[in-house]
Amino acid sequence: MPDGFYIGPLKIYYYGIAVMIGVLAAIWVSSSEAKRRGHNPDHIWDMLPPLLIFGIVGARLWHVLTPSRSMGAGLDYYLANPLQIFNIRMGGLGIPGAIIGGTLALYMYTRRKGLNFFEWADIIVPGLALAQSIGRWGNFFNQELYGPPTTLPWAIYIEPARRLPGYEEFSTFHPMFFYESLWNLFNFFLLLFLARRYEGKLSPGDIFWVYLIVYPLGRFFLEFIRLDPSLISGVNVNQITMAVVALFSLTMLVSSRRRARRGKEDIADSSN
């Protein structure tokens, strides 16, 4: 399966196209959501460059600092070949790092502009979930992020050169990238539904926390079937990170709802 095409001497990778389509979809959704909430959608375009830069840098650093069997590289490899850190054209981007980098960029932007960070995080995360759903198809073209061998009807064929050591005799595998894509798509619709169904009842940041519960939850369970987990001292770094983020976000969401409930009770008491 080709992973891209040439325009003259320049090779265009399908992975990059999938990511860019995801970015454009996220911009459209976020701009629409900002306008619906009565905010200036131009902020989405203004914050896009730092979000992309910090997101890409964070994603690459996450990949570099966590070993990956499918990419054939770990921290030792990049220490010995430092220039390869900048070679992102062949993939090697960690979603947790992208989220961390993007969140940092958003915080810096909203603080500089005097905006509410959590309000804009609520605006952005539905589009982010959609971008993740679309971007995951880049893994399909790169023939990576697949699960155990299977003969199920939706199994994907992996070329011999792309098969991980120990699985050379198998040809079809679970499309883990597809499972994650579907989960992210579910998250996208869930976030939009909650934002509209409970508009006026949610506190700033509630949608953000839901995103940080739902996405890590799905990723946590998918890591059980991943053939190339990021292991450090035998510990799956991605899985542990997802568990910690989901639990922390659940705690923050519960705390937010309790504060909102107490606020309504205080208002009711003062009016009596």
Side-chain angles (χ1 to χ4, degrees), residues 80-232:
N81 303 275
L83 292 180
Q84 288 301 311
I85 294 175
F86 305 99
N87 184 19
I88 65 174
R89 288 168 60 85
M90 293 301 293
L93 299 174
I95 294 299
I99 295 173
I100 294 171
T103 301
L104 178 60
L106 177 62
Y107 174 77
M108 294 168 58
Y109 178 88
T110 53
R111 183 173 181 178
R112 180 167 59 88
K113 293 290 186 177
L115 303 174
N116 186 305
F117 165 79
F118 286 108
E119 285 185 0
W120 283 92
D122 288 345
I123 289 170
I124 288 174
V125 288
L128 174 59
L130 178 60
Q132 289 177 257
S133 178
I134 297 172
R136 269 304 173 204
W137 283 89
N139 299 122
F140 169 73
F141 295 108
N142 279 2
Q143 295 215 327
E144 58 191 8
L145 199 62
Y146 51 87
T150 182
T151 56
L152 290 170
W154 56 84
I156 56 170
Y157 173 77
I158 300 297
E159 297 172 355
R162 299 279 189 169
R163 297 170 194 168
L164 291 170
Y167 295 91
E168 294 88 351
E169 63 182 289
F170 302 98
S171 60
T172 56
F173 299 79
H174 277 281
M176 183 176 163
F177 78 90
F178 178 60
Y179 300 155
E180 187 171 332
S181 178
L182 287 179
W183 183 252
N184 286 322
L185 189 62
F186 162 75
N187 197 11
F188 164 66
F189 284 115
L190 174 65
L191 296 173
L192 287 186
F193 169 77
L194 293 176
R196 287 160 172 73
R197 176 65 176 80
Y198 298 100
E199 187 172 14
K201 298 179 181 180
L202 297 174
S203 301
D206 284 353
I207 296 297
F208 177 61
W209 296 126
V210 171
Y211 165 82
L212 288 178
I213 294 169
V214 176
Y215 168 65
L217 183 64
R219 181 67 180 268
F220 174 84
F221 285 106
L222 284 174
E223 286 290 331
F224 281 112
I225 65 169
R226 184 165 182 166
L227 297 182
D228 59 338
S230 298
L231 300 178
I232 296 181

Side-chain angles (χ1 to χ4, degrees), residues 11-47:
K11 185 172 183 179
I12 306 298
Y13 288 92
Y14 293 130
Y15 184 99
I17 292 176
V19 170
M20 288 311 302
I21 292 174
V23 169
L24 292 175
I27 293 172
W28 176 72
V29 171
S30 299
S31 297
S32 300
E33 188 67 5
K35 186 180 297 184
R36 187 186 70 82
R37 290 170 175 255
H39 296 290
N40 184 357
D42 288 344
H43 281 300
I44 298 298
W45 291 100
D46 292 341
M47 68 176 65

